[in-house]
Amino acid sequence: MGIKLLQKARITKVDDTSDRLVALFKSETALAEDAFLKSLFTEMETLSANLTEAIKRDKGVSELEKADKVRNNAIRTFSKVIEGYRAMPIATVKQKGERLHKVFSKYGLRLI
């Protein structure tokens, strides 16, 4: 009877499992002298560290994308508010809306 390996696993679980295996290997002094295991777990430790860094980078990019969406929505909303002020029939509000539009048009929607 063959052993079936899980073909679909979360990357974070794979990383956690490899970290735990490396920690267990390091805690077993009797295994530390085995040349094969030593090289295997040295490589596993390196790969696990690389995987951890990749997970952190991916999470960082994901958080930046969410922040970008929030910023972009705020800029679009502000643009619409300024357009609303420019369309007001009250002269003082309309005048201030025009001044805001003049400044906002230089930078506003090009930010997104």
Side-chain angles (χ1 to χ4, degrees):
M1 209 183 253
I3 298 174
K4 290 187 179 182
L5 296 175
L6 182 63
Q7 292 179 355
K8 292 183 181 181
R10 293 179 54 101
I11 295 298
T12 52
K13 291 204 183 266
V14 171
D15 186 37
D16 181 55
T17 302
S18 64
D19 286 342
R20 288 173 188 241
L21 287 171
V22 168
L24 282 171
F25 174 73
K26 286 182 175 182
S27 70
E28 288 294 326
T29 55
L31 299 176
E33 299 306 316
D34 186 301
F36 173 74
L37 289 178
K38 191 173 186 177
S39 66
L40 175 74
F41 278 95
T42 300
E43 183 180 3
M44 185 185 290
E45 186 173 17
T46 302
L47 293 173
S48 182
N50 291 343
L51 189 55
T52 300
E53 287 303 313
I55 290 168
K56 287 179 184 176
R57 273 194 307 272
D58 190 44
K59 184 177 180 185
V61 168
S62 177
E63 289 174 2
L64 284 174
E65 287 173 351
K66 287 178 188 177
D68 283 348
K69 284 183 183 180
V70 170
R71 182 206 58 213
N72 293 348
N73 286 337
I75 291 172
R76 282 189 197 100
T77 300
F78 189 60
S79 173
K80 298 299 179 190
V81 168
I82 291 173
E83 290 299 319
Y85 279 115
R86 289 179 68 204
M88 286 279 192
I90 304 167
T92 56
V93 175
K94 186 174 186 169
Q95 181 184 20
K96 290 178 182 179
E98 290 295 336
R99 287 176 61 196
L100 283 172
H101 177 71
K102 195 177 205 179
V103 173
F104 189 75
S105 64
K106 290 181 184 178
Y107 310 104
L109 294 176
R110 284 185 287 168
L111 293 173
I112 53 177

